[in-house]
Amino acid sequence: IKRMFIEASRRVICVADHSKFDKGALFTFATLTEVERIITDDGLDSSIMGKYQALQVNIEQADRSGNE
């Protein structure tokens, strides 16, 4: 079903907390090239964020303090 949603969508945005990065997965339903943007919390380590940005992945971090 997730695959069908991706194929029918104009934009694909992934929301994942920092603990999901740099982990292997038995099942996946999308590749990084299919995702327009990733939104995550501010707990993502800067070295991991840099790795994804080097791959041209657009990552936005939510600010837990409520400040923008």
Side-chain angles (χ1 to χ4, degrees):
I1 292 176
K2 290 177 185 178
R3 186 75 235 157
M4 290 177 4
F5 283 140
I6 288 171
E7 291 172 9
S9 298
R10 287 180 283 176
R11 297 173 67 193
V12 178
I13 298 171
C14 173
V15 178
D17 70 63
H18 72 278
S19 69
K20 303 294 190 249
F21 286 78
D22 274 3
K23 306 277 191 236
L26 186 56
F27 298 103
T28 60
F29 55 89
T31 64
L32 282 177
T33 58
E34 294 175 300
V35 176
E36 178 181 322
R37 168 176 293 138
I38 298 174
I39 300 173
T40 190
D41 60 86
D42 60 0
L44 185 62
D45 186 83
S46 61
S47 65
I48 295 174
M49 187 162 183
K51 234 168 66 171
Y52 282 82
Q53 288 174 329
L55 296 170
Q56 305 296 310
V57 176
N58 184 1
I59 297 181
E60 292 182 29
Q61 287 184 288
D63 183 1
R64 287 190 223 182
S65 69
N67 300 325
E68 293 198 29

